[in-house]
Amino acid sequence: MPALSSTMTEGKIITWLKSEGDKITKGESVVVVESDKADMDVESFQDGILGAIVIQEGGVANVGAPIAYVAESDADLQEAKSKVGAASNGNGAAPAQKEVPKEETAKVEAPAAARSEAATTTAPPPPPPSPAPAAAAPAPQKRADGRVIATPYAKKLAKELGVDLNNLSGSGPAGRITASDVEGFKGGNGATTTHAPTPAPMPTPAMASEPAPRAAAPSAGPSTTVSELKGTTEPFNALQAAVAKNMVESLKVPEFRVAYSINTDALDALYKRLKPKGVTMSGLLAKAAGVALAKHPVLYAACTADGKGITYNEHINVAIAVTMPDGGLITPVIKDADKTDIYQISRNWADLVKRARAKKLAPDEFNSGTFTISNLGMYGADAFDAILPPGTAAILAVGGSKPTVTVDDNGRFGVQKVMKVNLTCDHRIVYGAGAAEFMVELKSVIENPEQLTF
């Protein structure tokens, strides 16, 4: 399992693009792995034959643990398979595949045990069990959010076979379309692929009177209802686990906050004028932050790992928090926000958000931020405090812009659109005066936004 980001400690196998016995070449994509931030293709490090898969689809392995063995030739295939067999029999190092938490197993087994105990006096003995059928792939399903997600190989195969992925239902995790779905669709002359479900056991009277226990879903998908979540415990997905780890890590940093109110009438007017050209409010805020940061390098610097110095970054890379549909959040990065024009920033941002929600960002597109913005204004939040991401000096929390009664320097009353922003800083390298000076600069840029179009 390779480290696909600087914070990754484990990865989940989403899809194997190759099967055991397939020949692979160096640099060829072999498996899709879910890291702590994105789904990424993992390439083979050498030529050979995929001899044995250690971690199956859906399994999790620690970084550095074996997920498969590559044989150099046909003669080495048996040796590769024997390594997996030795590990499973306890004769070798067992692969670091995560087990289902005991409490989840108990949730499934306990109701069944209770029903069995209650039925011992009324139910006749069950018939002898039939031989267990081979595990079938999950039934294909359309994603509730309407998005089409497919493995890289499935996309390539669909293009070669002339198959429209919009017509397919995916049998992979979270409705992901796999190569077998494409092949089945093509082989069925356009009929959506269906996999034979595992035959259900014949119901006994006790089973027929009560529904089968439902195993807890790995994550709350878009179709999950509140009633289905009540009384359940779900483990974090990889992204949620990474967020939780970073939030705890941030507690080690001494923080302070500075709040300002900013008039957004001019910014709103500019946005209204530029919106038809594809400019977004997120792009305008990132550009405004970039322009203001250019005069305050300590605000996009970082405290050294030993806490004894300051590392000044070369680039003003503004990261903006984005909520993910299946839980957690990610911070796509607008690079060189001070130098890039607003139109390019907005185009880049639209592309980053689209790929972020499809888990297709490259590591440097989400972990290279030197300043962060968290915006809850679209949800109607007046103001809030943001938690400082580890390894950065500051994060800006942006509230909603709302009509507010104001008084000018001459004592005249009026109504203006006002936005409240809170800056959270690392007090080891940023001091109150420096933070206030930056906020004054940001306020000036936002209230005189024409400079953002230069």
Side-chain angles (χ1 to χ4, degrees):
M1 177 65 69
L4 302 177
S5 74
S6 59
T7 58
M8 177 177 168
T9 58
E10 63 183 26
K12 179 180 179 181
I13 304 298
I14 298 297
T15 305
W16 281 101
L17 306 178
K18 294 289 186 177
S19 302
E20 291 184 358
D22 288 351
K23 291 185 177 181
I24 55 178
T25 57
K26 183 177 180 179
E28 181 180 13
S29 295
V30 177
V31 62
V32 179
V33 171
E34 179 189 57
S35 70
D36 55 351
K37 296 294 174 79
D39 290 358
M40 302 183 66
D41 288 9
V42 174
E43 300 174 349
S44 174
F45 304 124
Q46 64 186 79
D47 296 336
I49 302 170
L50 186 58
I53 292 175
V54 180
I55 307 298
Q56 300 297 325
E57 293 182 1
V60 178
N62 293 329
V63 169
I67 58 174
Y69 290 101
V70 177
E72 294 183 355
S73 64
D74 290 332
D76 299 324
L77 280 176
Q78 192 57 43
E79 180 183 353
K81 293 178 180 179
S82 66
K83 288 183 178 181
V84 178
S88 62
N89 292 329
N91 297 326
Q97 184 164 1
K98 302 291 183 180
E99 297 180 354
V100 178
K102 292 182 179 179
E103 62 265 25
E104 289 188 21
T105 306
K107 284 182 183 179
V108 178
E109 293 177 350
R115 283 197 301 274
S116 176
E117 183 177 348
T120 52
T121 58
T122 58
S130 57
Q141 57 179 328
K142 287 277 190 181
R143 287 181 58 90
D145 57 10
R147 293 190 295 124
V148 175
I149 298 180
T151 66
Y153 183 58
K155 292 177 181 178
K156 178 181 178 182
L157 190 62
K159 186 175 181 180
E160 293 175 351
L161 298 179
V163 173
D164 184 356
L165 293 177
N166 290 295
N167 296 329
L168 274 69
S169 297
S171 61
R176 189 184 185 98
I177 297 172
T178 65
S180 61
D181 296 324
V182 177
E183 293 169 343
F185 183 89
K186 186 67 175 179
N189 296 321
T192 303
T193 309
T194 56
H195 298 263
T198 302
M202 292 296 293
T204 64
M207 291 178 64
S209 62
E210 294 188 37
R214 180 179 62 85
S219 63
S223 61
T224 303
T225 63
V226 173
S227 61
E228 289 177 321
L229 291 175
K230 289 182 177 179
T232 66
T233 299
E234 296 180 353
F236 285 147
N237 60 34
L239 183 55
Q240 290 171 318
V243 171
K245 180 181 178 181
N246 283 341
M247 294 303 95
V248 173
E249 192 69 21
S250 72
L251 295 176
K252 302 176 182 178
V253 178
E255 301 174 352
F256 74 97
R257 296 165 181 82
V258 176
Y260 267 69
S261 295
I262 301 176
N263 180 351
T264 63
D265 285 339
L267 183 68
D268 291 338
L270 178 65
Y271 172 58
K272 185 176 181 180
R273 192 172 84 238
L274 298 182
K275 185 178 180 180
K277 299 180 181 180
V279 172
T280 64
M281 182 56 75
S282 294
L284 285 170
L285 291 173
K287 180 66 175 178
V291 171
L293 285 167
K295 299 180 181 179
H296 301 274
V298 73
L299 268 297
Y300 61 96
C303 187
T304 57
D306 60 6
K308 297 181 179 180
I310 303 174
T311 299
Y312 290 95
N313 291 302
E314 296 183 11
H315 302 279
I316 299 177
N317 295 340
V318 177
I320 304 180
V322 173
T323 301
M324 297 293 281
D326 55 351
L329 58 85
I330 195 169
T331 51
V333 176
I334 296 176
K335 298 180 179 179
D336 296 317
D338 57 324
K339 301 175 183 177
T340 309
D341 71 76
I342 186 60
Y343 304 101
Q344 188 61 51
I345 283 177
S346 295
R347 287 192 292 269
N348 291 349
W349 179 244
D351 175 62
L352 285 167
V353 171
K354 180 180 178 180
R355 290 190 292 113
R357 289 182 170 149
K359 297 185 177 181
K360 291 298 179 184
L361 292 181
D364 72 321
E365 291 177 317
F366 59 76
N367 65 13
S368 60
T370 55
F371 182 86
T372 307
I373 294 175
S374 180
N375 183 6
L376 293 181
M378 71 284 289
Y379 296 105
D382 292 323
F384 67 101
D385 291 331
I387 298 176
L388 184 68
T392 61
I395 179 173
L396 186 71
V398 180
S401 178
K402 298 183 178 181
T404 305
V405 176
T406 60
V407 182
D408 65 16
D409 294 338
N410 298 316
R412 291 176 297 188
F413 287 88
V415 176
Q416 297 177 326
K417 295 286 286 298
V418 174
M419 173 178 71
K420 295 180 180 179
V421 295
N422 286 6
L423 185 71
T424 302
C425 302
D426 182 346
H427 211 338
R428 294 174 298 175
I429 61 174
V430 181
Y431 306 121
E437 289 170 358
F438 165 74
M439 293 291 267
V440 170
E441 183 71 30
L442 180 65
K443 177 180 171 73
S444 175
V445 172
I446 291 177
E447 292 182 348
N448 302 277
E450 289 299 330
Q451 59 187 300
L452 301 180
T453 61
F454 297 157

